[in-house]
Amino acid sequence: MGSASSAYRVIYLDVDGRSQKVVFSRFCSPCDIKELFCTATGLSRNTTISLLDSTGAMVSIDPTMPNNSERSPYKVVPITGGQLADKEELFQNVLTQVAEQFSRAFKINELKTEVTNRLAMLEKRVELEGMKVVEIEKCRSDIKKLREEMASRNNSSFLDDNKKLTPRRDVPSYPKYTLSQQTIDALRKPTFDVWLWESNEMLSCLEHMYHDLGLVKDFNINPITLKRWLLCIHDNYRNNPFHNFRHCFCVTQMMYSMICLCSLQEKFTQVDILILMTAAVCHDLDHPGYNNTYQINARTELAVRYNDISPLENHHCAVAFQIFSQPDCNIFANFDPEAFKQIRQGTITLILATDMARHGEILDSFKQKVDNFDFTNEEHVTCLKMVLIKCCDISNEVRPMEVAEPWVDCLLEEYFMQSDREKAEGLPVAPFMDREKVTKPTAQIGFIKFVLIPMFETVMKLFPQIEEVMVQPLRESRDRYEELKQIDDAMNEVQKKKSENLTMGGKKK
């Protein structure tokens, strides 16, 4: 076993002639390391810097950068605005030309064509120049201002393509993150720490999974389309406490882990693997943060549209295929109509299976098949896929305690938001969502004991290899929360007796 210190890197920097020691985790992103170096040398965190060794050679800023010593510190060199002047002048010229068009009294169709062409040229130059993220952000901001000015001057919505479903053209904005071999290996395991990564890094990880599983090659998926699709997926998850893009990443990463751990590519077709991964990515798209019970009781638009039948899950499916309907985001573009129909039906079936109201029905169906499971039987395979996405969707407690526990806080925060709203609107409130009745241990014990463990133990009959890395952590989590509940109960009892004694003392007086 390696020492605990191997998880950290030590780098020395030259700060005004003295050596400054900087320690960071090997899991840090290049962006975080850069900010750390800026802080250590007294620069603004957003400063663009270069790193030079004692010979004047440039050193890459990432977790795998070469070690140095106190005697040979790296020199941090800020890159001044002058070095970017040529590129900024290029943008300024183009923007000025576009702005001049606004003042001309063109007919609306001519104005549409001119501005659209200018914007396309500007965005294309961003891609071709491969510019830094800071410059891209500035350019995006300028483009947005142009769109807004155009809309206000002409009272027209022809440029209003800022809707989330419109594919983004800024594809080069996230390949900056090159995954290390360490990350690639960790990504295959349920122990992967999902809290260490920014959105762009998670997008790179998802992209890697599709390539690593052979899906891009086997189905001739355009790699640029894959990038655009993932960016569009990211933009269509809301910033809820729990049901957000990081949850989407968690579920997909756990699915990838199960595919690797259970050697599912030996049992399933590649089409099945594609359906499993894609359903995981799309399974909570545009989740509003309020569950099906709220939708139905509040008679929301979603509940009315889907006749109270899995309104959220139906909505997730609909948004997913709205995205696929955009040519720039259709990773299934090279499938013939019959193959696409199979993919569509398979994906919908799996996303609809994530409705917890159907948990008992789906698990009972799987239990009836598991002892005589037949991988050549389409009904058996579909049922297993439904159980697999269910496992991944609610798999947080499989992860190490320090990764799993923050998710409980996120989920309770979302529950409390809903129950507060239900109280305000006079709707029924579930006890497990009521901030006045629920605690972390009471929220988790029953769920782990009666939902998670029975489901994962049933899957274990088919795949014994999950016992050590998935089922055992669940049992340990159950035991831990039961101990916490005993402590809570004991403290409540002490508090109760104190209150009784105070009351009795008051009466005696």
Side-chain angles (χ1 to χ4, degrees):
M1 285 180 65
S3 67
S5 62
S6 64
Y8 295 90
R9 302 293 313 279
V10 178
I11 295 295
Y12 293 89
L13 303 178
D14 181 353
V15 180
D16 297 329
R18 61 183 179 80
S19 182
Q20 171 69 51
K21 180 179 178 183
V22 179
V23 181
F24 55 88
S25 166
R26 56 187 171 80
F27 297 113
C28 271
S29 69
C31 184
D32 290 337
I33 298 169
K34 180 195 82 71
E35 289 187 3
L36 194 60
F37 287 176
C38 285
T39 303
T41 51
L43 297 170
S44 165
R45 289 171 58 190
N46 295 326
T47 306
T48 304
I49 60 171
S50 289
L51 206 62
L52 307 179
D53 66 14
S54 55
T55 68
M58 290 185 71
V59 181
S60 65
I61 302 176
D62 62 58
T64 61
M65 61 195 296
N67 287 323
N68 64 352
S69 68
E70 198 169 355
R71 293 182 179 178
S72 57
Y74 293 143
K75 188 171 183 63
V76 176
V77 180
I79 298 175
T80 62
Q83 291 164 278
L84 305 175
D86 291 343
K87 290 175 183 175
E88 291 203 355
E89 186 179 354
L90 168 73
F91 282 129
Q92 228 28 71
N93 288 341
V94 175
L95 289 171
T96 302
Q97 289 172 36
V98 177
E100 285 173 0
Q101 303 306 318
F102 293 137
S103 63
R104 298 181 187 175
F106 285 158
K107 292 178 182 177
I108 191 66
N109 286 338
E110 293 172 333
L111 194 54
K112 282 184 188 179
T113 305
E114 181 68 10
V115 174
T116 303
N117 288 345
R118 292 288 187 181
L119 290 171
M121 180 177 71
L122 186 58
E123 291 170 327
K124 190 65 181 172
R125 289 201 181 197
V126 173
E127 291 182 7
L128 292 176
E129 291 290 326
M131 303 171 81
K132 293 184 176 61
V133 175
V134 173
E135 295 171 275
I136 292 172
E137 287 301 328
K138 180 181 181 301
C139 187
R140 281 192 206 133
S141 174
D142 291 337
I143 289 168
K144 186 180 177 185
K145 286 176 186 172
L146 286 176
R147 292 186 190 280
E148 289 169 354
E149 186 176 346
M150 186 68 212
S152 64
R153 289 200 180 201
N154 294 282
N155 197 24
S156 167
S157 61
F158 71 88
L159 277 179
D160 185 21
D161 66 351
N162 288 322
K163 292 177 183 175
K164 288 183 180 179
L165 289 177
T166 302
R168 286 161 52 174
R169 304 192 58 155
D170 54 348
V171 172
S173 70
Y174 78 81
K176 301 286 182 188
Y177 299 101
T178 303
L179 305 184
S180 68
Q181 189 58 48
Q182 218 162 17
T183 300
I184 288 169
D185 294 341
L187 205 54
R188 291 171 158 254
K189 298 170 185 172
T191 51
F192 188 79
D193 191 342
V194 295
W195 296 105
L196 295 175
W197 312 92
E198 298 171 6
S199 291
N200 286 354
E201 295 167 310
M202 290 188 277
L203 286 165
S204 287
C205 287
L206 290 172
E207 185 186 356
H208 167 79
M209 294 175 203
Y210 271 73
H211 281 279
D212 185 53
L213 292 169
L215 302 176
V216 176
K217 182 181 177 185
D218 291 354
F219 298 115
N220 195 23
I221 296 172
N222 183 329
I224 298 296
T225 304
L226 177 65
K227 292 174 189 288
R228 291 194 199 283
W229 173 65
L230 288 170
L231 280 164
C232 204
I233 289 290
H234 170 270
D235 289 350
N236 281 277
Y237 273 91
R238 300 194 197 182
N239 291 324
N240 298 314
F242 184 91
H243 290 101
N244 50 39
F245 178 68
R246 194 176 298 277
H247 168 66
C248 150
F249 176 72
C250 271
V251 174
T252 311
Q253 188 270 325
M254 189 62 73
M255 181 67 78
Y256 177 65
S257 295
M258 292 195 84
I259 290 168
C260 298
L261 184 64
C262 303
S263 305
L264 292 184
Q265 287 185 293
E266 296 173 11
K267 306 282 188 182
F268 287 166
T269 66
Q270 278 291 79
V271 170
D272 286 326
I273 299 295
L274 180 62
I275 289 170
L276 283 168
M277 289 293 292
T278 305
V281 170
C282 298
H283 85 283
D284 269 333
L285 276 166
D286 197 42
H287 194 297
Y290 300 92
N291 69 13
N292 280 331
T293 302
Y294 174 82
Q295 305 298 325
I296 293 165
N297 288 339
R299 301 176 187 173
T300 64
E301 182 191 341
L302 283 183
V304 172
R305 182 184 303 160
Y306 295 112
N307 306 307
D308 295 351
I309 301 168
S310 303
L312 288 180
E313 289 71 27
N314 274 294
H315 179 60
H316 305 324
C317 291
V319 175
F321 283 92
Q322 278 179 288
I323 293 171
F324 287 129
S325 72
Q326 301 278 347
D328 281 349
C329 291
N330 186 11
I331 59 172
F332 305 136
N334 292 320
F335 284 76
D336 62 57
E338 197 54 42
F340 176 77
K341 187 177 175 183
Q342 181 189 352
I343 296 276
R344 174 171 159 79
Q345 189 52 59
T347 304
I348 290 171
T349 298
L350 296 203
I351 294 175
L352 292 180
T354 61
D355 183 355
M356 285 303 292
R358 298 181 58 202
H359 177 79
E361 160 215 333
I362 293 170
L363 188 57
D364 287 346
S365 174
F366 181 60
K367 283 179 176 176
Q368 290 168 16
K369 300 173 177 62
V370 72
D371 291 329
N372 298 294
F373 197 86
D374 181 2
F375 278 97
T376 63
N377 183 317
E378 188 178 340
E379 186 185 342
H380 283 215
V381 169
T382 298
C383 188
L384 172 57
K385 287 190 293 184
M386 290 165 78
V387 171
L388 288 174
I389 195 167
K390 283 175 58 57
C391 284
C392 296
D393 188 23
I394 54 177
S395 62
N396 285 326
E397 290 299 334
V398 166
R399 300 182 185 276
M401 180 193 75
E402 62 274 15
V403 179
E405 189 168 2
W407 281 116
V408 184
D409 294 317
C410 294
L411 186 60
L412 288 178
E413 184 182 345
E414 200 165 293
Y415 280 174
F416 296 158
M417 279 170 49
Q418 176 171 322
S419 60
D420 290 347
R421 184 166 176 173
E422 286 168 334
K423 290 173 187 176
E425 295 177 3
L427 299 173
V429 177
F432 69 89
M433 301 180 88
D434 192 334
R435 67 171 73 243
E436 293 168 15
K437 296 178 182 176
V438 73
T439 64
K440 268 200 210 178
T442 58
Q444 293 302 96
I445 292 169
F447 187 66
I448 297 170
K449 283 174 72 170
F450 303 116
V451 176
L452 289 176
I453 291 176
M455 180 165 66
F456 276 86
E457 284 182 343
T458 307
V459 174
M460 192 175 76
K461 291 182 179 179
L462 267 190
F463 304 107
Q465 57 268 53
I466 75 167
E467 179 168 20
E468 184 182 347
V469 291
M470 301 185 95
V471 180
Q472 195 52 37
L474 286 175
R475 293 168 181 156
E476 290 167 6
S477 180
R478 171 201 60 199
D479 295 344
R480 177 173 160 271
Y481 278 114
E482 284 183 334
E483 285 175 16
L484 286 174
K485 185 176 184 302
Q486 286 176 3
I487 293 168
D488 283 353
D489 289 347
M491 289 178 69
N492 288 337
E493 192 61 33
V494 169
Q495 196 62 42
K496 185 179 172 185
K497 284 182 178 175
K498 278 185 181 177
S499 299
E500 287 174 356
N501 289 339
L502 284 171
T503 305
M504 291 297 290
K507 286 180 179 177
K508 285 176 182 176
K509 287 179 183 177

